[in-house]
């Protein structure tokens, strides 16, 4: 068995990030007080991997006996995951120091989690998807409990691990059933035999189990109950990475299977995806209204946004695919921005995490409050921010696929979300502060948040930046 050099070149972003994660592991093991060096090496390495991903966009094909894909949409997802990882690193340093958990292992696990995400996007086989999900999940389990002296963080990691293992069982059993009926785990073979498998009940049971496994990862209703507890207990920067990179990776797998492989799916599967989307949008937005803790509010918001993206999966057309890719890109910037502001102002023992704690923030820290406004406006879908066009393309795709009722549900639930997003804006500018204790702002965090805000504005004013790229890559 031999591998050509072109295979290593085409998969260089994935291999490069893996080597970077191993380098960080060795630096942590061999150097004392290596956190500062690891921070710089991690940022530089991620930037290099982004450059490799962009440079090899046009080197499409498969590698390593056809098990992984390279170039095209695979590299687009690489860039999204790497941006999420890079921004998380930027906003993490001051937060880790303040919480006294500034250890090199944090960056190592973050990088291994990103490797798992990239492996999912590169998959051309169900086994590779499973390996990617496990690598990503194991890293996130550790990161969720990284504040190991805090009971809430340990509880968060334990809940995530137990429920994640349960969901993995569904996923693996679904893969086994599909292998038993299709005779292969390779995407091309399953897609070619799909017309013959439509009448096979075992095949559809396998598809259903896989959908359950992925629904847990994207936090779709009714597999969403772990999200608020895990996001609240985990370090805030980990919640940012989990809600963006982790969600984008799971949707990368859903796009690969339910749009590419099952492209000629039956109306029944479309109905199931539509019902899943509608329930997720409704439950996420309604429960978010009653939340007082901002991390739990953003957690239920994350559930609602999974519902919006699932509407695009239900539509399954070309416009839906472009809309999903645009939405995932925009969501990465605006949600890391939102959690990033929380991490910037959060104090030990979960202080400065309620609406009341943000009272008068517009006067005490005007720049930070302005950034938070941009992220809240974008998450609520108000133009000219990126969130508006993300929802527009998704709902337009649903209408085009004759799922007008689903688009109406999306618009109505999005209108509901305006209440709890803009409620925070009201507190920042029209309420007096109840807490005068705010930590100093970190330059690295402010750079990361400014990049997020600039990207949200740029994508809102020029959405074609992403759309032209995604359409050219198909």
């Amino acid at each position: 068995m031999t591998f050509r050099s072109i295979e290593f070149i085409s998969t260089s972003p994935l291999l490069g990030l893996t080597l970077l994660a191993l380098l960080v592991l060795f630096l942590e093991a061999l150097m004392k007080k290596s956190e500062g060096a690891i921070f710089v090496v991690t940022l530089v390495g991620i930037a290099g991997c982004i450059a490799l991903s962009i440079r090899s966009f046009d080197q499409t094909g498969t590698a390593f006996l056809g098990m992984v894909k390279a170039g095209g949409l695979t590299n687009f997802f690489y860039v999204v995951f790497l941006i999420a990882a890079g921004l998380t690193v930027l906003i993490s340093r001051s937060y880790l120091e303040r919480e006294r958990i500034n250890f090199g292992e944090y960056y190592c696990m973050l990088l291994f989690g990103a490797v798992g995400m990239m492996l999912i996007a590169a998959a051309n086989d169900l086994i590779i998807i499973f390996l990617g999900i496990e690598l990503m999940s194991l890293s996130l389990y550790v990161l969720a409990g990284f504040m190991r002296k805090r009971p809430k963080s340990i509880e968060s990691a334990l809940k995530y691990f137990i429920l994640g293992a349960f969901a993995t069982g569904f996923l693996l059993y679904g893969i086994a059933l599909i292998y038993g009926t299709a005779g292969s785990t390779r995407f091309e073979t399953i897609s070619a035999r799909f017309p013959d498998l439509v009448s096979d009940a075992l095949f559809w049971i396998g598809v259903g189990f896989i959908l359950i496994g992925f629904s847990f990862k994207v936090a779709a209703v009714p597999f969403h109950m772990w999200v608020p507890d895990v996001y609240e207990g985990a370090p805030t920067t980990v919640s940012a990475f989990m809600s963006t990179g982790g969600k984008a990776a799971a949707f990368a797998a859903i796009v690969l299977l339910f749009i590419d492989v099952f492209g000629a799916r039956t109306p029944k599967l479309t109905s199931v995806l539509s019902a899943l989307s509608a329930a997720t949008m409704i439950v996420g937005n309604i429960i978010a209204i009653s939340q007082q803790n901002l991390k739990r509010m953003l957690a239920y918001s994350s559930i609602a946004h999974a519902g919006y993206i699932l509407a695009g999966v239900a539509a399954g057309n070309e416009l839906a695919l472009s809309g999903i890719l645009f939405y995932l890109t925009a969501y990465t910037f605006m949600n890391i921005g939102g959690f990033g502001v929380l991490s910037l102002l959060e104090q030990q023992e979960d202080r400065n995490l309620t609406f009341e704690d943000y009272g008068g923030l517009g006067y005490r820290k005007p720049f930070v409050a302005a950034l938070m406004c941009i992220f809240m406006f974008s998450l609520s879908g108000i133009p000219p921010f990126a969130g508006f066009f993300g929802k527009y393309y998704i709902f337009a795709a649903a209408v085009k696929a004759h799922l007008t009722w689903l688009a109406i549900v999306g618009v109505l639930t999005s209108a509901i979300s305006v209440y709890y997003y803009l409620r925070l804006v009201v507190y920042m500018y029209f309420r007096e502060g109840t807490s005068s204790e705010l930590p100093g702002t970190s330059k690295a965090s402010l750079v990361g948040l400014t990049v997020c805000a600039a990207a949200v504005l740029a994508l809102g004013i020029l959405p074609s930046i992403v759309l032209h790229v995604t359409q050219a890559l198909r």
Side-chain angles (χ1 to χ4, degrees):
M1 184 185 300
T2 58
F3 297 112
R4 297 169 296 165
S5 60
I6 187 65
E7 293 182 306
F8 291 97
I9 295 172
S10 60
T11 57
S12 57
L14 176 58
L15 298 176
L17 193 69
T18 305
L19 292 174
L20 176 63
L22 293 173
L23 174 61
V24 168
L25 182 63
F26 279 112
L27 287 176
E28 170 61 21
L30 300 176
M31 291 177 60
K32 291 183 178 180
K33 298 182 180 180
S34 59
E35 292 79 15
I38 287 176
F39 174 78
V40 175
V41 168
T42 302
L43 279 180
V44 172
I46 289 174
C49 290
I50 291 175
L52 286 174
S53 300
I54 295 173
R55 187 175 182 181
S56 56
F57 261 148
D58 57 347
Q59 295 179 1
T60 57
T62 59
F64 304 120
L65 304 178
M67 296 291 283
V68 298
K69 295 179 180 178
L73 287 182
T74 299
N75 282 41
F76 180 87
F77 279 116
Y78 283 176
V79 173
V80 173
F81 303 147
L82 290 167
I83 288 174
L87 290 172
T88 303
V89 169
L90 270 176
I91 66 174
S92 292
R93 189 174 183 182
S94 64
Y95 176 82
L96 297 177
E97 291 174 348
R98 194 163 58 250
E99 295 290 342
R100 298 176 183 175
I101 52 171
N102 188 24
F103 306 114
E105 294 94 331
Y106 174 88
Y107 301 100
C108 183
M109 298 311 300
L110 195 73
L111 290 172
F112 276 120
V115 171
M117 296 170 192
M118 293 172 72
L119 199 58
I120 294 170
N124 196 37
D125 191 287
L126 288 172
I127 300 302
I128 300 298
I129 280 188
F130 175 73
L131 291 175
I133 284 179
E134 285 304 286
L135 179 56
M136 176 188 75
S137 298
L138 289 171
S139 301
L140 293 179
Y141 297 154
V142 175
L143 288 171
F146 205 72
M147 294 189 289
R148 50 186 179 272
K149 293 183 179 179
R150 187 176 298 183
K152 188 178 288 187
S153 182
I154 300 300
E155 179 187 352
S156 163
L158 188 61
K159 285 181 178 178
Y160 192 24
F161 170 71
I162 292 173
L163 292 174
F166 187 68
T168 298
F170 278 100
L171 179 65
L172 198 55
Y173 193 53
I175 290 173
L177 288 176
I178 288 180
Y179 175 72
T181 53
S184 175
T185 54
R186 193 66 59 87
F187 288 170
E188 295 95 334
T189 305
I190 298 171
S191 181
R193 295 180 182 176
F194 184 77
D196 299 326
L197 296 170
V198 170
S199 57
D200 193 325
L202 278 179
F203 173 78
W204 286 113
I205 293 174
V207 172
F209 282 159
I210 286 180
L211 183 59
I212 289 173
F214 287 146
S215 295
F216 171 85
K217 296 301 178 184
V218 302
V221 172
F223 311 102
H224 67 289
M225 294 305 295
W226 61 275
V227 173
D229 292 338
V230 172
Y231 282 19
E232 183 184 13
T236 304
T237 53
V238 173
S239 299
F241 186 57
M242 206 183 301
S243 66
T244 53
K247 190 181 292 292
F251 271 112
I254 289 174
V255 166
L256 286 172
L257 281 175
F258 290 90
I259 293 183
D260 287 351
V261 178
F262 305 148
R265 60 176 180 243
T266 64
K268 288 184 179 179
L269 182 54
T270 300
S271 299
V272 170
L273 290 169
S274 300
L276 202 64
S277 169
T280 305
M281 288 187 285
I282 292 169
V283 171
N285 280 304
I286 289 178
I287 300 182
I289 293 174
S290 62
Q291 302 305 310
Q292 298 301 317
N293 183 287
L294 292 175
K295 286 176 74 173
R296 293 185 71 89
M297 183 271 282
L298 287 177
Y300 280 107
S301 158
S302 179
I303 294 169
H305 284 279
Y308 301 140
I309 302 172
L310 279 171
V313 178
N317 48 37
E318 286 295 323
L319 180 59
L321 179 59
S322 295
I324 291 169
L325 297 176
F326 181 89
Y327 204 112
L328 290 173
T329 305
Y331 185 73
T332 296
F333 288 111
M334 54 194 183
N335 217 48
I336 286 183
F339 275 108
V341 172
L342 296 188
S343 71
L344 191 66
L345 302 179
E346 183 181 348
Q347 294 281 55
Q348 289 185 354
E349 304 302 327
D350 294 336
R351 287 179 292 170
N352 294 342
L353 282 177
T354 66
F355 282 91
E356 289 76 11
D357 293 329
Y358 276 62
L361 185 67
Y363 304 99
R364 292 185 288 166
K365 288 188 179 292
F367 183 67
V368 175
L371 291 175
M372 194 60 156
C373 283
I374 291 174
F375 302 134
M376 292 300 104
F377 285 139
S378 186
L379 286 167
S380 60
I382 295 174
F385 302 102
F388 169 77
F389 282 102
K391 292 179 181 179
Y392 169 77
Y393 293 127
I394 291 289
F395 298 154
V399 172
K400 188 176 181 180
H402 307 293
L403 295 171
T404 306
W405 70 271
L406 188 59
I408 293 172
V409 171
V411 171
L412 292 176
T413 52
S414 187
I416 293 173
S417 73
V418 173
Y419 169 78
Y420 58 83
Y421 288 129
L422 297 194
R423 181 186 177 197
L424 181 57
V425 177
V426 169
Y427 268 89
M428 289 193 297
Y429 287 97
F430 301 102
R431 298 286 179 88
E432 292 185 3
T434 58
S435 172
S436 59
E437 185 181 356
L438 289 175
T441 51
S442 158
K443 291 182 179 179
S445 297
L446 285 179
V447 168
L449 295 175
T450 303
V451 169
C452 289
V456 167
L457 284 168
L459 293 177
I461 296 171
L462 292 172
S464 57
I465 295 173
V466 173
L467 291 178
H468 287 167
V469 173
T470 58
Q471 290 168 1
L473 293 177
R474 287 296 289 172

